[in-house]
Amino acid sequence: MEPGPWGVCEEMAILHGAFLLASRLVQPRALSELRKNEWPLVGPPITDALKEIGSRCPSPPQGSLWKKEAVAIVWAKVLLPAPPAASLDQEWREDAFFSVGRMIPDVNHTVLFELVKALGEPRHFVQLLLALPHAVRRNELQRLVQYVASEMSPSDIRFLLDVWWEMMRHEEGQEDRTVSTFSTLVHQHGGESSPDDGLQPPKRFKGDPGSLSGSPAATSLLMVLVEGLKETYRSIAQPRMKCCALANLVELLSAFTELAAEGSPLPVTEYLEKVSSVVSLWSSDTESQYHNRALDEQVKEAERSVSFSSLAKLSREELFVGLDFLSSLLHAWGVELQGILNSSEDPCYESYRLLDALTAFRKNLVCFSENGGLSKDEMHKAIELPQTIEDFLKEISTSQKSKDSDTSLVSSVAMTIIEQKLHRHAEMCSIFASEEAWVFSNGWVDCLVKNKELFQKPELVLKLLQTLVNFAKSCRDREAREMQMQVTKAIVECYSELSLPDKNQVISGVLASWGGAGLSLNLQVVVEGFQEDLNVTFNQITKSVSDEGLTRAVASVARLTLLYPEATVKQVCSLAVVNLGSHQFLAQILCSLPALSFLETHDDPGRPRSLVVRCLKEAVWEKLSAAREKEQFLEFLAFLMQPSSAAPLVSPAEVTKAFVLPYLKSDCAQTELSLQILSKVLGIQSYPEEDWIKSCHPFPLLLSLCRLLDGYTKYWHQPRDQPFPSLETKDLVLSTLGQLCEVVRPEAAPSPEVWVQSLAWLHRKVASLDWTVGLRLKKFFGDHFKNEVPATLFEICKLPEDEWTSQSLPAYGPGSGLLAWMECCCVSTALRETMLTLLVVNMDNPEEVNLFSKGFLVALVQVLPWCSHSEWKRLVHVVTNLLERQVLHVPYTLEYVQYMPLLNLRPFAHSLQLSVLFLRGFQLLCSSSCSSWLPTEAWLHVVQLYCGSLTDLLSSIKSPAGSPSQPPEARSPAEEVSFVCIQMFCHLLHVAAMLPPDSGCGEPLVVVALEILSQYEAFSSADKSPSSVLRRANERHFLESITDNVGDQELRGTLLQKLGKLGA
């Protein structure tokens, strides 16, 4: 049975029998009258009974608990008076101690003290003593001192010194059930010992100064022990006991007074060395009580011996009483101890403890005396004693002052502290993880594997990794590799249990130590099988793309990143591009690991670069081919720069330097993608570093965009074997230039002077480009420079000379004013409106209007092939504006009309004029005079612009049809729209017929033609007039006859098929 809240049990019966036998042996007197010299007669039955109980216990610790139980029961019997006979009937019901107490005869303190001595368990005595009420514990300790001083023997003195030592080593909060039961019992009964022990309060030591008789300071438990030593020290003869007594006193004065350094425990390495030294001494000292104990028990006790707990500190008065006594003891015993210590080859634990305590105490005392606040007498004592200690220590040989422990013992002690989770085991883990001298013994590996949970801290994981790498560098045999695998697995398991912020801390440490290669740089065991692990992990991740799977995915990627960061990041980047729809999920994973924002220095510390950007560049940049891949790459990159709920992983500056600056050249295959990236970068809002653009050479970047625009002015004359961004990309260049001009502000320059110099530099560079490029920087240049345009523009515009200046350009001779004007209209919406406002045409002069209209058509044809989609839209707006203002004269002929239409076409006049203007433009463009002007590749672009305008025109003619200017009964708007659709269809077929046969423009023409026919069908079907059926039949026949004349067989066949379905 386990010892418990005291009840009658088999073990208690054995103890009961032992006490009955002891009572008979001492008759006719009672055990409550036992004298010290009678214990050898009555003690053996009691101790033998406890040995028997211990032998029945399944484990030694349980046997030790029964010893404590026995001491507690005896002590309770001493303290608690027997109940009067009249109350027995009530006591057995209410008193938990009643049954057990009745089994033990009345005893006195002699039985208690001798029992504790015989059991050799001063720790049990101290635990129970400190569980007593304050007044009772002091009285009990005083009784012990009195008992030891009476008929003194070496074992009594040893017992007193051991109790003293245990009191200093006592740890609060370690009370077990026995101590708690004992404390509760005594507190309930207000236990005071019987005065019939024959023990009186202890006498004061009269031969020594500083007696505290009558002083409040004498109430301190520790001072009771000091007073006890004063009464017994003359009887101490053994050198070991003298060392122990002195060590007790010195440690008491060091740790339990104001000399103790507050909140500054020993450094953990020094602490480990001390514990190891103590264990080493006990192991080699056959007289030590701990000599034959197991290592874990030795370490536990050694830990308690080098760190003291929190008993109340002595007062200043008590401190100086103790200092006086220590000084007298050193004078009394010093010479004898010096001789004995120097004659001994190996130090014993007591001598080691004394010399170590004196060395530390002397330092503390010197610091104490230097801090001031002492009286003259106190200062004298505080200065004199360190000198006495120094004189004593300098006569001791060095071999006695320290005990060096071998490495294997120190490592074993550290591992025992960790495995048993003893005091300061957490700090010990740090030493264990980084002490390379211990590494990779079987014990080290086993300790790590068994205690992984203690190493689940980022700093410990990093230390273990560093130790692992260092070991791998020095040991490469097969056995070492197997150990590496085992240790790597254990470390990864520790890492896997960390929180995500802690994992990031570890990844940061790995990158700082070994760069992007991480552990793979030095650990071959990491590289082996890594690619397979990588593939399997990411296959699982890409199959479970969801918010729920994000946490698991981040944990998996974090584990791979720990082992081989750059390989993991490259895999993420590759999958983000090729795996449809997973790019944002993968970007979220990377952004969950902010440690990957690591900047590599490589061979150029002054120019760090982003690990993620490098991995992107190496893994996917040169491999992007499909449009979908480029799109996913762009979105992936944008998310890394601006994630929804995390810090950016890459900065706009890093992205610009890596993917934009080297590629903004007209002959580079990646130019278009770089432009898209730059546009994304410039579109990022509220980036933490607002002036990031300063590090990206903003003015050369502006110039690069300007040069690209300049290249478009010669687009159709560029060598076809050289890559150049398509005309579809021109709008992207224009919008990106506008974005960049918004971002690059004067505040980005170091000073206003530098800003002006930079503007002047850019203006000089742009002056060598096409003149329209400078106009695009009009807003950026501000008032620093005038707008420079061809001189002929002044002939048709009223340009303010304070803002505009002319330049002589050979390409703009007489009559080119409209061409320059139209190119200005293409630059921007604002400049287009300005040009429309400043245009001068004398409407009162018919000849001038005719000349203007003819010149306008020629200029339009000249500009058209070089227009981007946005520029062409601006020009179409210009045409519409001029038609509405009737400045532009475009006569409409009825060449595709069989009969005079009796319709209201006024709402559609401008639409019809615009369609005719497009036709006239193609007639000019396809004429013999212009036949060799455009290369074959240009025709498709021109036709695409034309078809786009027709599509817009189709959308616009619905509006007049829905807003009639006449009452519904007077007209049918559907008839007018049908007529306009027929005209546009005929114009388109006319254009198709004029195009060069190898122009490759069939597809856009077919699409728009079918769209026109669909709209015609919708409106003509809506016409419910009586003649609508006949009219539709006539119109279908007309359209079929026109279509029959189309030369392109494919176009003709498709359109006839569509016409055949009309009205079916």
Side-chain angles (χ1 to χ4, degrees), residues 400-594:
Q400 296 290 324
K401 295 178 183 178
S402 62
K403 172 67 176 176
D404 294 329
S405 306
D406 61 69
T407 302
S408 62
L409 176 62
V410 175
S411 64
S412 297
V413 168
M415 286 187 274
T416 301
I417 292 173
I418 292 169
E419 289 172 350
Q420 299 294 322
K421 296 181 176 62
L422 302 181
H423 184 53
R424 301 184 76 172
H425 70 273
E427 296 170 88
M428 211 57 64
C429 290
S430 179
I431 295 179
F432 174 91
S434 55
E435 188 59 63
E436 295 182 18
W438 309 347
V439 170
F440 289 88
S441 64
N442 288 327
W444 191 92
V445 176
D446 291 342
C447 180
L448 174 61
V449 172
K450 291 176 183 176
N451 298 280
K452 292 192 294 284
E453 72 280 358
L454 297 179
F455 292 89
Q456 292 170 7
K457 296 180 180 177
E459 61 275 11
L460 294 182
V461 172
L462 279 170
K463 287 184 178 181
L464 285 170
L465 291 173
Q466 184 67 65
T467 301
L468 174 62
V469 167
N470 292 343
F471 176 79
K473 287 179 180 179
S474 58
C475 299
R476 301 183 183 275
D477 54 56
R478 180 177 178 182
E479 183 181 357
R481 285 170 59 81
E482 291 175 355
M483 292 176 71
Q484 285 179 42
M485 292 179 67
Q486 192 177 4
V487 173
T488 302
K489 180 181 177 183
I491 296 174
V492 171
E493 288 174 359
C494 293
Y495 170 81
S496 298
E497 295 300 320
L498 298 178
S499 66
L500 188 55
D502 285 346
K503 286 178 180 175
N504 273 291
Q505 185 178 335
V506 174
I507 294 172
S508 292
V510 168
L511 290 170
S513 298
W514 302 293
L519 299 178
S520 70
L521 185 66
N522 298 293
L523 292 179
Q524 186 62 29
V525 295
V526 167
V527 179
E528 294 169 358
F530 180 81
Q531 188 60 47
E532 182 181 356
D533 187 10
L534 194 69
N535 293 337
V536 170
T537 301
F538 278 103
N539 281 340
Q540 294 171 344
I541 288 173
T542 52
K543 288 176 182 177
S544 59
V545 175
S546 65
D547 291 340
E548 294 77 16
L550 180 61
T551 302
R552 291 192 302 274
V554 170
S556 299
V557 173
R559 176 180 62 82
L560 295 170
T561 304
L562 171 75
L563 301 174
Y564 201 161
E566 67 179 37
T568 305
V569 175
K570 285 180 179 179
Q571 184 79 346
V572 174
C573 296
S574 297
L575 288 174
V577 169
V578 302
N579 207 63
L580 182 62
S582 66
H583 53 286
Q584 184 168 337
F585 183 71
L586 293 168
Q588 281 181 286
I589 293 174
L590 284 190
C591 289
S592 298
L593 301 173

Side-chain angles (χ1 to χ4, degrees), residues 263-393:
S264 55
L266 281 175
V268 67
T269 50
E270 189 177 336
Y271 177 83
L272 176 60
E273 189 60 42
K274 272 198 170 189
V275 173
S276 302
S277 296
V278 171
V279 171
S280 176
L281 286 165
W282 285 345
S283 300
S284 61
D285 184 0
T286 56
E287 295 183 32
S288 170
Q289 60 178 317
Y290 302 110
H291 175 67
N292 292 318
R293 301 278 186 92
L295 179 62
D296 59 341
E297 290 185 63
Q298 289 181 331
V299 173
K300 285 180 184 178
E301 291 301 319
E303 273 215 326
R304 295 181 63 236
S305 302
V306 300
S307 57
F308 298 123
S309 60
S310 57
L311 285 173
K313 295 195 181 300
L314 304 182
S315 65
R316 175 73 65 88
E317 181 184 358
E318 290 170 330
L319 168 62
F320 278 93
V321 169
L323 294 179
D324 286 341
F325 184 34
L326 175 60
S327 181
S328 66
L329 286 180
L330 284 173
H331 284 105
W333 293 345
V335 175
E336 176 193 357
L337 289 178
Q338 285 171 342
I340 293 172
L341 291 175
N342 285 328
S343 65
S344 173
E345 292 184 4
D346 295 316
C348 64
Y349 172 62
E350 287 77 7
S351 64
Y352 164 81
R353 181 174 158 231
L354 171 61
L355 296 175
D356 183 68
L358 280 173
T359 302
F361 177 67
R362 181 186 171 278
K363 293 178 182 177
N364 290 347
L365 195 55
V366 169
C367 292
F368 177 67
S369 64
E370 291 174 350
N371 287 338
L374 301 177
S375 66
K376 185 176 180 181
D377 183 52
E378 289 173 339
M379 181 63 76
H380 174 71
K381 293 176 182 178
I383 293 174
E384 183 181 31
L385 185 54
Q387 187 59 49
T388 302
I389 295 171
E390 184 178 2
D391 294 341
F392 173 78
L393 291 175

Side-chain angles (χ1 to χ4, degrees), residues 930-972:
C930 298
S931 59
S932 60
W933 185 52
L934 279 183
T936 304
E937 303 83 20
W939 285 105
L940 178 60
H941 174 69
V942 170
V943 169
Q944 285 174 335
L945 294 179
Y946 167 61
C947 290
S949 297
L950 288 186
T951 300
D952 294 339
L953 198 53
L954 274 175
S955 299
S956 69
I957 62 175
K958 296 178 185 178
S959 179
S963 304
S965 57
Q966 295 180 346
E969 63 275 9
R971 57 174 291 280
S972 175

